[in-house]
Each structure stands twice: as structure tokens, then as C-alpha cells.
Amino acid sequence: MTLSLQPLFPLALATAQLPLDPMDSVLLLQDALALRGEESGNPNPGCAWTGDINGVWQVHQLPAFAAITELVRRHAWEYLAQLGFQCDQVALHIQRAWPVVSEPGQVVGRHHHPNAHLSAIVYLNGDGSGRSGCLRLYPAGQCNELVPGLAVGHGGPLDGAITWNAPHFDLAPRAGLLVLFPAQVDHAVTANEDDDDLRVSLAFDLALSAPLCDQPGAAPPEYLAPHPQQWSPLSEP
């Protein structure tokens, strides 16, 4: 008899190669670098510059990024549809969008986005080699390590590189590549090891809510927030 292992509960990582004209890519790169200005990184040493903590968090509202934002919108809805969402029963919002610029040696530390539901990244450069740093996704848990902690390594009996207990998954950037994944997933960016090039991308935080509805008695589904236009701000005490 043959033993067969079946992967269950997979993480939905989506990729699409966007139809960006090379000249458009150059202009987007220039615009992203102009938004960074004279800065070279985030406050922590060795960290890439990220616009979200430097006041540059609404690039989706800038005309220069309108076309790329439209492509993100279309593919985000397709992502939801393939996950099984009834798209006419949800609303999708961009909360914020920002450039990320990584110089040689810089990284983005492990984190996730608790404020959002869906993360999107568009790479403005990269050749697919991973030299300028890879997107690294981490599993939420290691249910196949059997004994908690063995997948960490440090001389344990598990080979951490095997599929069933891999410590992470790396995705190399490529110009025009769009990536979508759940915002709750821990992720990072490995070091830019290309001494001759920057690594530039656009990141998007997207959130789901119930659609805007003004019908009497209508209420949003449980666990799905009402549309933001139906929220009531509370004044400070």
C-alpha cells in the first residue's frame, strides 16, 4: 500500500504579471523615488524606506498611480471571487498605499497588517533572481512538526527545508508582478544583495466591509463590518 499525503487549508497566494509598458515602469519608478526624496531608510538601522510611516500613504489618490491602482482593483476583486466571495455582497476599500524603497543591505522586518484584510504588492523593478530581496511569507503555525518547536531547527531531527515543515516561502520580485495575500499573514523582505540597484515596490492595504445599504431594516452580516460611511465618529471627551 502507498502512503499519500494531502495538503489541506492552503494559503491563497495570488500573482499576476501586469501589462506595464517599460516606459510606464520607468516613470513609476521615478515618481516613487521622488516621493522618498532625500531619505535613505526608516529610523531603524538597515531598514528599507517605507512611505506608510513617512507621511506617504495615499499614492492611490495620486494621478501618476491611477492606472496601477486600477489594475490592483480589478485583480483584488478576482482574488475575492476565486476565494468564493459573493462580490455583490461585500465592499472593498483601499485604506492606504505607499512606496517601499530598499537600498543595498536593507530589509523589511517580519510583520503583518492587523488593520487590513488583504495585502497587495506591485513590484516596479526586479528580474526574478531575488538578488534585490525576496518577499518572505511565514506559516501561521507548523502543524506538521508534530512536536512543537522541532521545525525551528537548531540541530533537531526535522529538515526545515522540506515542503511539509518549511519555515517560510520566498517570492522573488519581478518588474510588473502583482502579489495578493491575506493581510494577517506574517511577511518580511530579505536583504537587498544587489550592490548596483534599488528594490522598489508599491504596497496596498485593502479592507472588506458590507456594501452601503440604506434599506430600512437591512443589517450587515455578522462578522462583516458595516460600510465606513455608516460609521459614527465619537467626539473627544
Side-chain angles (χ1 to χ4, degrees):
M1 298 178 62
T2 301
L3 181 67
S4 175
L5 274 65
Q6 178 180 357
L8 298 177
F9 316 121
L11 172 69
L13 173 67
T15 60
Q17 189 63 41
L18 302 181
L20 289 183
D21 181 270
M23 183 56 68
D24 291 336
S25 295
V26 170
L27 294 176
L28 286 170
L29 273 169
Q30 292 176 346
D31 290 332
L33 293 175
L35 290 171
R36 183 184 67 155
E38 299 300 321
E39 300 291 336
S40 60
N42 279 347
N44 292 333
C47 290
W49 182 87
T50 60
D52 56 333
I53 66 172
N54 285 285
V56 184
W57 58 279
Q58 292 180 307
V59 298
H60 58 291
Q61 296 185 2
L62 300 178
F65 298 92
I68 202 75
T69 299
E70 171 61 16
L71 291 172
V72 170
R73 181 195 68 82
R74 286 165 46 190
H75 284 86
W77 278 113
E78 182 180 355
Y79 178 89
L80 295 183
Q82 291 197 35
L83 285 182
F85 281 87
Q86 299 180 55
C87 293
D88 62 341
Q89 297 186 28
V90 294
L92 186 60
H93 315 265
I94 294 179
Q95 290 181 329
R96 67 186 87 188
W98 64 97
V100 179
V101 182
S102 177
E103 295 189 351
Q106 291 183 336
V107 304
V108 176
R110 181 171 176 171
H111 67 288
H112 66 284
H113 298 244
N115 56 288
H117 300 126
L118 179 60
S119 289
I121 302 171
V122 178
Y123 297 103
L124 301 184
N125 65 346
D127 58 8
S129 69
R131 290 194 306 269
S132 61
C134 292
L135 172 67
R136 176 165 289 180
L137 300 171
Y138 297 91
Q142 293 284 6
C143 58
N144 297 314
E145 63 183 346
L146 304 186
V147 179
L150 288 187
V152 176
H154 304 300
L158 273 176
D159 180 357
I162 62 176
T163 301
W164 295 99
N165 284 291
H168 50 72
F169 172 78
D170 287 349
L171 180 70
R174 187 171 63 251
L177 181 67
L178 165 66
V179 182
L180 293 152
F181 57 93
Q184 63 181 298
V185 174
D186 274 7
H187 55 285
V189 179
T190 61
N192 181 355
E193 297 178 349
D194 190 335
D195 293 334
D196 299 319
D197 202 5
L198 301 174
R199 178 185 185 276
V200 185
S201 61
L202 300 174
F204 296 78
D205 275 350
L206 297 97
L208 288 166
S209 79
L212 184 62
C213 182
D214 55 5
Q215 296 179 3
E222 189 177 13
Y223 303 119
L224 192 59
H227 193 281
Q229 291 188 27
Q230 294 178 306
W231 297 7
S232 297
L234 299 177
S235 59
E236 294 182 6

